[in-house]
Every structure is written in C-alpha cells, then in structure tokens.
C-alpha cells in the first residue's frame, strides 16, 4: 500500500506532509508540513515555552500540541530525531499523525530495521478521543512492531480531569496503555530532561541558558503529574523529586533542605522520615524560585527487549520485606541480638586434621 505521507529534503533534515492531501491553510499555521526531522525539528524558545510551559509551569488552555521524538537503536544510538505538531484546521493531534497506519513513523521503522526504541516528549499525554484515537493507533503500531519499545514523556495531562467529558475514556485508555509494560513506559517530563529538550530541540538556546534552573511552578506541576499518572495507571513513573531552595537564605545546602522538606508529597504512602504536610519556615512556595534536584530521571534507559508476550515482564522477582534496622544498629552488624548467647569458634587446619583422624578411628572400631 502506498504511504500516506510526502517527504521533502531541507537544509538540515526533512519536512513531511503527514497526509499527502494536506495543503497550505490560513486556519493552520503549520500546514501542510507537520513533521520535521533532524536539525529542522528545532523550534523557537517562545513556542517551546508557550506549548510545554517551561520554565514557569503549564499554560492553559492547551490550544496547540507538540511532540518531539527520538528513534534509537538497541545500543542506544540515535537513528533520527524530529517533531510533529497538531493541525488546528483538521483538529489532529501529533501522535495521531505519527502512529498512522502506513504513516511516517511506520515507514521510518520499516526502512531502518535497527530501530528498537521510540521515545516521545509530548506537551500533552496521549488521548483516545474519537477525533484522534492516538492511543489506539499506538496499540496498532506496537502490534505491528512487537520488537519496538515505546517511552512516552509528557508535560501535562490531557482531558483527564473530572470535569472533562472525555475524562473516563482517556483515563481508561492510559491505564490500558500502561499495562503494556515493559514494552511501554509512561512518565511526566521532569528535572534534567527539560535541559535535554532545550539542548536537542530548541533553537537559539546556548551556554548557561540550556541549564537554567527549574522553577518551583514547573517542578510542582511535574510532581502533580507524577502523582496523577500513578493514580490513573497504578504505575509509579520515573520522575525527579525536587526541593525548594530557600528564598530568604540562598546559601542553604541541599542536605539542609532535604532534612526539612517533605519528600513524600507525590506518593504519600512512602515514608522518607521527614514531617509531612509542612514546610520549614525558611522555605516558601514561590513559583519563580529555583529548585534543587535530589533524584534525576533515568532518561537514557536502554531499550527493553520484549519477549513473545509484551504484556508481562519476562522475569518476575519477588522482594521480601526485610526487618527494619535503625541507623544505630547498622553501625555494627556483627553484634548478636540481646539475650541470645553466642559461642565463637575458630577452625584451624590442625583442628580439621584431628577431626578427620577421629572419624577414621571410629570407622575402624565399628569394623
């Protein structure tokens, strides 16, 4: 069957019509070229901020959607990078374009049999609404390419809030998609991943600007996304836990902040041995205050080789609950528990040889 797209060579990559019948339109500033590859895929910083909500936090309502992607080999080397933008004229999401049957991504993977991992960095989580069917198309793509793994990172959740008419439908679709682990992973963008996006997909950003601090408004949104996607799918995502930097005391150390800031806000059942629900007096919730990182997301995960059944991990490991040991007890693990007499014996070569001689004498006596 003939492909749906048309691709044209540009100076630093290619530009693609995801559907060959698209044409220039006053109703969509991106038409007809919604997919850009290579260095052509870079977008201006202003557009990145408006759509992804970096560094200050999400911008509402999300009128435009943008998805960056990377195609990687089994060794982790980059085969191709690009971006796909939504079409406001036809109301089409970028994921719907990318994962179309006989579409651009389907063809790119078919023509390069070394590709084993597809990574998406999306402004919004994928939906499965009737006009888009993003998640259904992902399912079809993964069924067609069972040796491909898919990692999806998003800036904000799309139509999953209770007041959205499509909330139940989208939440169920996300839950079903997450159940394909380890073939599929679904996580919010956070921490150092923001810097990677600036470096690889945003134009006009150089030097220290690439590593600008993550502000509190953005960090709190990422934590909220981590909590929500866990509540929806039951799968804890990779995310960066962050600490607020003291506004009154800019010289506060990360360790000092760690001792005072509650790290169990995202997953309340996890205990980090710090008070919950309160901030120390020298820390404030200012959305423009930089944050200090504690955990960095494991971004460059090697592609997971999926077996015949992608719905379950190949090996199951059962972890036993170990008895809790205080830091004082771990100081000397050689000490025996109180009340238990211990007899220490030292075995030497002489002792072992005398024991063997006794055994031989016993055997002779029996004969």
């Amino acid at each position: 069957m003939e492909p749906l797209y048309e691709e044209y060579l540009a100076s630093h990559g290619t530009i693609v019509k995801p559907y060959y019948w698209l044409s220039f339109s006053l109703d969509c500033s991106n038409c007809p070229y919604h997919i850009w590859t290579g260095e052509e895929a870079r977008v201006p910083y202003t557009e990145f901020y408006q759509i992804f909500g970096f560094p200050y936090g999400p911008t509402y309502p999300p009128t435009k959607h943008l998805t960056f992607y990377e195609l990687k080999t089994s060794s982790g080397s980059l085969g191709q990078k690009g971006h796909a933008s939504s079409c406001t004229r036809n109301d089409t999401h970028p994921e719907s374009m990318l994962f179309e049957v006989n579409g651009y991504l389907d063809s790119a993977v078919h023509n390069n049999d070394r590709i084993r991992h597809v990574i998406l960095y999306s402004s919004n989580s994928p939906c499965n609404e009737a006009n888009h069917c993003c998640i259904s198309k992902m399912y079809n793509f993964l069924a067609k390419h069972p040796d491909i793994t898919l990692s999806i990172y998003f800036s904000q959740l799309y139509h999953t809030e209770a007041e959205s008419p499509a909330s139940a439908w989208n939440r169920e679709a996300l839950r079903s998609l997450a159940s394909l682990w380890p073939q599929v992973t679904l996580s919010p963008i956070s921490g150092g991943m923001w810097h990677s996006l600036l470096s690889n997909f945003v134009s006009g950003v150089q030097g220290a600007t690439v590593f600008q601090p993550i502000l509190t408004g953005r960090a709190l949104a990422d934590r909220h996304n981590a909590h929500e996607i866990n509540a929806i799918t039951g799968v804890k995502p990779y995310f960066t836990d962050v600490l607020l930097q003291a506004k009154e005391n800019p010289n506060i150390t990360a360790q000092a902040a760690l001792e005072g800031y509650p790290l169990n806000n995202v997953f309340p059942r996890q205990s980090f041995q710090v008070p919950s629900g309160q901030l120390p007096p020298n820390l404030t919730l200012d959305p423009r205050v930089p944050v200090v990182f504690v955990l960095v997301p494991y971004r460059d995960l090697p592609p997971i080789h999926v077996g015949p059944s992608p719905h379950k991990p190949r090996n199951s490991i059962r972890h036993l609950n170990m008895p809790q040991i205080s830091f004082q007890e771990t100081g000397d693990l050689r000490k025996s528990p109180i009340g238990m007499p211990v007899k220490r014996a030292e075995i030497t070569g002489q002792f072992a040889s005398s024991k063997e001689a006794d055994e031989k004498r016993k055997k002779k006596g029996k004969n």
Side-chain angles (χ1 to χ4, degrees), residues 125-145:
S125 59
C127 76
N128 210 37
E129 297 170 20
N131 293 339
H132 311 290
C133 299
C134 302
I135 294 179
S136 293
K137 292 180 180 181
M138 290 178 179
Y139 260 95
N140 294 334
F141 175 86
L142 293 171
K144 186 176 181 180
H145 306 281

Side-chain angles (χ1 to χ4, degrees), residues 247-262:
K247 188 175 182 180
E248 291 78 6
N249 182 12
N251 296 322
I252 188 171
T253 63
Q255 181 61 33
L258 177 60
E259 294 172 356
Y261 186 77

